[in-house]
Amino acid sequence: MAIGEELRSGRFWQEVLAEAVATLIFTGVVLGASTAPGPLVPAVAGGLVAVTLTCALGAPQANPALTLALLCTRKLRALRGAAVLLAQCAGAVLAATAARLALPDDAGMITRVSAIGTAGQALCWEIFATFQLALAAFATTNHAAVPAGLTLGSAIIAGALAAGPFSGGSMNPARSLGPAIVTGVWDNHWVYWVGPVLGAVLAGLCYEFIFAPGASWEKLGACLTCRDVAVVETTTPSPSSPSTAPPSAARAPPASQGQGMA
Protein backbone atom coordinates (compact mmCIF):
# COMPACT_ATOMS: atom_id res chain seq x y z
CA MET A 1 0.00 0.00 0.00
CA ALA A 2 1.35 3.45 -0.96
CA ILE A 3 2.07 5.97 1.79
CA GLY A 4 -0.59 8.40 0.59
CA GLU A 5 -3.20 5.66 0.33
CA GLU A 6 -2.37 4.40 3.81
CA LEU A 7 -2.63 7.88 5.32
CA ARG A 8 -6.08 8.25 3.76
CA SER A 9 -7.21 4.94 5.19
CA GLY A 10 -9.71 5.11 8.04
CA ARG A 11 -8.39 1.79 9.33
CA PHE A 12 -4.90 3.30 9.69
CA TRP A 13 -6.06 6.16 11.90
CA GLN A 14 -8.41 3.92 13.85
CA GLU A 15 -5.48 1.70 14.82
CA VAL A 16 -3.29 4.68 15.71
CA LEU A 17 -6.05 6.12 17.92
CA ALA A 18 -6.58 2.71 19.54
CA GLU A 19 -2.89 2.59 20.45
CA ALA A 20 -3.00 6.06 22.01
CA VAL A 21 -6.14 5.28 24.02
CA ALA A 22 -4.90 1.85 25.11
CA THR A 23 -1.54 3.21 26.27
CA LEU A 24 -3.25 6.06 28.11
CA ILE A 25 -5.58 3.65 29.94
CA PHE A 26 -2.86 1.10 30.67
CA THR A 27 -0.38 3.70 31.95
CA GLY A 28 -3.04 5.48 34.00
CA VAL A 29 -4.14 2.27 35.72
CA VAL A 30 -0.58 1.19 36.50
CA LEU A 31 0.39 4.65 37.80
CA GLY A 32 -2.66 4.79 40.02
CA ALA A 33 -1.91 1.34 41.41
CA SER A 34 1.74 2.29 41.98
CA THR A 35 0.77 4.36 44.99
CA ALA A 36 0.30 1.09 46.89
CA PRO A 37 3.41 -0.29 48.63
CA GLY A 38 5.18 -3.21 46.97
CA PRO A 39 5.04 -4.58 43.42
CA LEU A 40 1.96 -6.80 43.81
CA VAL A 41 -0.82 -4.24 43.32
CA PRO A 42 0.59 -2.55 40.17
CA ALA A 43 1.49 -5.96 38.73
CA VAL A 44 -2.04 -7.30 39.16
CA ALA A 45 -3.56 -4.01 37.95
CA GLY A 46 -1.42 -4.11 34.81
CA GLY A 47 -2.40 -7.69 34.08
CA LEU A 48 -6.11 -7.05 34.61
CA VAL A 49 -6.21 -3.93 32.43
CA ALA A 50 -4.38 -5.84 29.69
CA VAL A 51 -7.17 -8.44 29.72
CA THR A 52 -9.79 -5.70 29.57
CA LEU A 53 -8.15 -3.81 26.73
CA THR A 54 -7.70 -7.02 24.76
CA CYS A 55 -11.45 -7.55 24.88
CA ALA A 56 -12.33 -3.90 24.22
CA LEU A 57 -9.79 -2.88 21.57
CA GLY A 58 -8.52 -6.14 20.06
CA ALA A 59 -5.21 -6.46 21.91
CA PRO A 60 -3.40 -3.25 20.95
CA GLN A 61 0.36 -3.31 21.53
CA ALA A 62 0.35 -0.25 23.83
CA ASN A 63 4.09 -0.82 24.18
CA PRO A 64 6.89 0.65 22.02
CA ALA A 65 9.08 -2.40 22.71
CA LEU A 66 6.51 -4.73 21.12
CA THR A 67 6.02 -2.34 18.21
CA LEU A 68 9.76 -2.27 17.52
CA ALA A 69 9.84 -6.08 17.72
CA LEU A 70 7.10 -6.22 15.06
CA LEU A 71 9.11 -3.83 12.89
CA CYS A 72 12.27 -5.91 13.26
CA THR A 73 10.45 -9.12 12.32
CA ARG A 74 8.83 -7.45 9.28
CA LYS A 75 5.32 -7.80 10.72
CA LEU A 76 4.66 -4.07 10.64
CA ARG A 77 5.33 -1.45 7.98
CA ALA A 78 7.59 1.48 8.85
CA LEU A 79 4.97 4.22 8.45
CA ARG A 80 2.42 2.42 10.59
CA GLY A 81 5.10 1.57 13.16
CA ALA A 82 6.26 5.20 13.43
CA ALA A 83 2.69 6.46 13.84
CA VAL A 84 1.94 3.82 16.49
CA LEU A 85 5.11 4.68 18.44
CA LEU A 86 4.20 8.38 18.53
CA ALA A 87 0.64 7.55 19.59
CA GLN A 88 1.85 5.31 22.40
CA CYS A 89 4.24 7.93 23.76
CA ALA A 90 1.55 10.64 23.55
CA GLY A 91 -0.94 8.45 25.39
CA ALA A 92 1.56 7.70 28.14
CA VAL A 93 2.43 11.39 28.60
CA LEU A 94 -1.25 12.33 28.87
CA ALA A 95 -1.82 9.58 31.44
CA ALA A 96 1.21 10.66 33.47
CA THR A 97 0.10 14.30 33.39
CA ALA A 98 -3.36 13.39 34.69
CA ALA A 99 -1.87 11.08 37.33
CA ARG A 100 0.46 13.77 38.62
CA LEU A 101 -2.46 16.16 39.02
CA ALA A 102 -4.60 13.54 40.75
CA LEU A 103 -2.13 11.74 42.97
CA PRO A 104 -0.93 13.20 46.28
CA ASP A 105 2.63 11.99 45.68
CA ASP A 106 4.28 11.46 42.31
CA ALA A 107 7.26 9.51 43.68
CA GLY A 108 5.58 6.16 42.99
CA MET A 109 5.01 7.05 39.33
CA ILE A 110 8.68 6.84 38.39
CA THR A 111 10.31 3.53 37.56
CA ARG A 112 13.65 3.45 39.36
CA VAL A 113 16.59 1.14 39.74
CA SER A 114 16.31 -0.46 43.17
CA ALA A 115 18.72 0.54 45.90
CA ILE A 116 19.50 -3.16 46.44
CA GLY A 117 20.85 -3.54 42.89
CA THR A 118 22.66 -1.77 40.08
CA ALA A 119 21.60 -0.36 36.73
CA GLY A 120 23.17 -3.40 35.06
CA GLN A 121 21.09 -5.79 37.15
CA ALA A 122 17.94 -3.76 36.47
CA LEU A 123 18.74 -3.91 32.75
CA CYS A 124 19.05 -7.71 32.84
CA TRP A 125 15.72 -8.06 34.63
CA GLU A 126 13.98 -5.74 32.18
CA ILE A 127 15.37 -7.77 29.27
CA PHE A 128 14.24 -11.04 30.86
CA ALA A 129 10.76 -9.82 31.89
CA THR A 130 10.04 -8.26 28.50
CA PHE A 131 11.40 -11.31 26.67
CA GLN A 132 8.85 -13.61 28.30
CA LEU A 133 6.06 -11.08 27.69
CA ALA A 134 6.92 -10.58 24.02
CA LEU A 135 7.30 -14.33 23.49
CA ALA A 136 3.78 -14.81 24.83
CA ALA A 137 2.48 -11.95 22.68
CA PHE A 138 3.93 -13.40 19.48
CA ALA A 139 2.78 -16.93 20.34
CA THR A 140 -0.86 -15.90 20.88
CA THR A 141 -1.12 -15.01 17.17
CA ASN A 142 -0.66 -18.69 16.26
CA HIS A 143 -2.70 -20.33 19.01
CA ALA A 144 -6.32 -19.31 18.60
CA ALA A 145 -7.47 -21.74 21.30
CA VAL A 146 -5.49 -19.84 23.94
CA PRO A 147 -7.27 -16.70 25.27
CA ALA A 148 -4.95 -13.86 24.27
CA GLY A 149 -6.03 -11.52 27.05
CA LEU A 150 -5.49 -14.09 29.79
CA THR A 151 -2.09 -15.07 28.38
CA LEU A 152 -0.85 -11.49 28.09
CA GLY A 153 -2.25 -10.45 31.45
CA SER A 154 -0.54 -13.39 33.14
CA ALA A 155 2.77 -12.57 31.41
CA ILE A 156 2.56 -8.96 32.57
CA ILE A 157 1.88 -10.00 36.18
CA ALA A 158 4.70 -12.56 36.14
CA GLY A 159 7.20 -10.14 34.62
CA ALA A 160 6.29 -7.28 36.95
CA LEU A 161 6.57 -9.47 40.04
CA ALA A 162 9.91 -10.93 38.93
CA ALA A 163 11.57 -7.68 37.89
CA GLY A 164 9.75 -5.36 40.29
CA PRO A 165 12.18 -5.60 43.23
CA PHE A 166 15.11 -4.73 40.96
CA SER A 167 13.84 -2.37 38.24
CA GLY A 168 10.20 -1.66 38.99
CA GLY A 169 9.11 -4.16 36.35
CA SER A 170 8.28 -1.63 33.65
CA MET A 171 8.64 -3.77 30.48
CA ASN A 172 7.24 -0.76 28.63
CA PRO A 173 9.27 2.30 27.55
CA ALA A 174 6.14 4.45 27.23
CA ARG A 175 5.04 3.67 30.79
CA SER A 176 8.45 4.93 31.99
CA LEU A 177 8.68 7.84 29.55
CA GLY A 178 5.43 9.54 30.60
CA PRO A 179 6.35 10.01 34.27
CA ALA A 180 9.93 10.99 33.35
CA ILE A 181 8.65 13.82 31.15
CA VAL A 182 6.11 15.24 33.60
CA THR A 183 8.36 14.95 36.68
CA GLY A 184 11.72 15.73 35.06
CA VAL A 185 13.34 12.70 36.74
CA TRP A 186 15.50 10.82 34.21
CA ASP A 187 17.68 8.71 36.52
CA ASN A 188 18.82 5.59 34.61
CA HIS A 189 15.99 6.14 32.13
CA TRP A 190 18.01 4.41 29.41
CA VAL A 191 17.47 1.11 31.25
CA TYR A 192 13.74 1.31 30.49
CA TRP A 193 14.31 1.67 26.76
CA VAL A 194 17.31 -0.56 26.13
CA GLY A 195 16.06 -3.42 28.34
CA PRO A 196 12.47 -3.77 27.06
CA VAL A 197 13.39 -3.13 23.42
CA LEU A 198 16.23 -5.65 23.47
CA GLY A 199 14.10 -8.25 25.26
CA ALA A 200 11.14 -7.81 22.90
CA VAL A 201 13.22 -7.87 19.72
CA LEU A 202 15.10 -11.00 20.85
CA ALA A 203 11.80 -12.71 21.70
CA GLY A 204 10.28 -11.75 18.36
CA LEU A 205 13.26 -13.07 16.41
CA CYS A 206 13.38 -16.30 18.44
CA TYR A 207 9.70 -16.99 18.00
CA GLU A 208 9.36 -16.05 14.34
CA PHE A 209 12.48 -17.86 13.14
CA ILE A 210 12.73 -20.81 15.56
CA PHE A 211 9.40 -21.69 17.18
CA ALA A 212 6.64 -20.38 14.92
CA PRO A 213 4.86 -22.49 12.34
CA GLY A 214 6.71 -21.82 9.10
CA ALA A 215 9.98 -20.93 10.88
CA SER A 216 13.11 -21.72 8.87
CA TRP A 217 16.63 -20.51 8.19
CA GLU A 218 15.41 -19.33 4.78
CA LYS A 219 12.83 -17.12 6.48
CA LEU A 220 15.50 -15.64 8.76
CA GLY A 221 17.74 -15.00 5.77
CA ALA A 222 14.90 -13.26 3.96
CA CYS A 223 14.30 -10.98 6.94
CA LEU A 224 17.99 -10.10 7.32
CA THR A 225 18.36 -9.36 3.61
CA CYS A 226 15.13 -7.34 3.43
CA ARG A 227 13.39 -9.80 1.12
CA ASP A 228 9.69 -10.67 1.28
CA VAL A 229 9.29 -12.98 4.27
CA ALA A 230 5.72 -13.92 3.28
CA VAL A 231 6.94 -15.41 0.00
CA VAL A 232 9.47 -17.59 1.82
CA GLU A 233 6.79 -18.73 4.29
CA THR A 234 4.55 -20.03 1.51
CA THR A 235 7.24 -21.65 -0.64
CA THR A 236 9.61 -23.20 1.91
CA PRO A 237 8.97 -26.20 4.20
CA SER A 238 9.57 -25.57 7.89
CA PRO A 239 11.58 -28.46 9.37
CA SER A 240 12.66 -26.32 12.28
CA SER A 241 9.11 -25.67 13.41
CA PRO A 242 7.76 -27.69 16.36
CA SER A 243 4.23 -27.44 14.95
CA THR A 244 2.53 -29.18 12.05
CA ALA A 245 0.38 -26.17 11.28
CA PRO A 246 0.58 -24.87 7.71
CA PRO A 247 2.62 -21.74 6.95
CA SER A 248 -0.56 -19.69 6.66
CA ALA A 249 -1.04 -20.11 10.41
CA ALA A 250 1.99 -17.86 10.94
CA ARG A 251 0.19 -14.88 9.47
CA ALA A 252 1.04 -11.43 10.73
CA PRO A 253 -1.65 -9.90 12.92
CA PRO A 254 -3.01 -6.42 12.24
CA ALA A 255 -1.11 -3.67 14.03
CA SER A 256 -3.83 -3.44 16.64
CA GLN A 257 -4.30 -7.13 17.34
CA GLY A 258 -2.62 -9.97 19.10
CA GLN A 259 0.59 -8.44 20.37
CA GLY A 260 -0.35 -7.50 23.88
CA MET A 261 0.75 -4.88 26.35
CA ALA A 262 3.24 -4.27 29.10
Side-chain angles (χ1 to χ4, degrees):
M1 184 183 292
I3 292 178
E5 184 180 353
E6 189 163 26
L7 290 174
R8 291 191 295 271
S9 168
R11 173 74 173 175
F12 175 89
W13 293 109
Q14 182 185 40
E15 291 178 355
V16 171
L17 179 60
E19 288 292 337
V21 171
T23 311
L24 185 152
I25 294 173
F26 179 84
T27 304
V29 168
V30 173
L31 292 181
S34 296
T35 58
L40 179 60
V41 174
V44 173
L48 291 177
V49 75
V51 175
T52 303
L53 290 174
T54 298
C55 297
L57 297 175
Q61 299 141 44
N63 186 333
L66 293 178
T67 301
L68 289 169
L70 288 173
L71 285 168
C72 289
T73 54
R74 310 281 299 283
K75 296 293 186 181
L76 193 63
R77 288 185 292 272
L79 175 63
R80 191 172 297 247
V84 164
L85 285 170
L86 290 174
Q88 291 164 347
C89 292
V93 171
L94 288 175
T97 301
R100 193 181 191 196
L101 294 174
L103 296 176
D105 182 13
D106 59 17
M109 294 171 51
I110 306 164
T111 43
R112 303 176 186 270
V113 174
S114 171
I116 66 173
T118 65
Q121 291 172 326
L123 176 65
C124 291
W125 278 104
E126 285 294 317
I127 292 172
F128 170 75
T130 313
F131 182 91
Q132 60 87 33
L133 170 63
L135 196 64
F138 272 81
T140 56
T141 65
N142 287 324
H143 299 282
V146 179
L150 181 60
T151 301
L152 298 170
S154 299
I156 289 172
I157 293 173
L161 289 177
F166 303 93
S167 66
S170 173
M171 300 178 285
N172 188 329
R175 177 262 177 270
S176 298
L177 177 67
I181 288 178
V182 301
T183 64
V185 179
W186 296 89
D187 297 345
N188 296 308
H189 185 72
W190 63 273
V191 168
Y192 302 101
W193 279 90
V194 176
V197 169
L198 186 55
V201 170
L202 286 174
L205 292 174
C206 286
Y207 184 80
E208 288 298 320
F209 304 120
I210 298 176
F211 302 117
S216 67
W217 290 111
E218 289 79 7
K219 185 179 171 185
L220 175 60
C223 180
L224 295 177
T225 57
C226 297
R227 291 186 287 124
D228 192 344
V229 174
V231 173
V232 176
E233 284 181 326
T234 57
T235 59
T236 305
S238 53
S240 62
S241 172
S243 173
T244 58
S248 60
R251 63 188 183 279
S256 64
Q257 292 185 344
Q259 295 300 327
M261 293 160 285

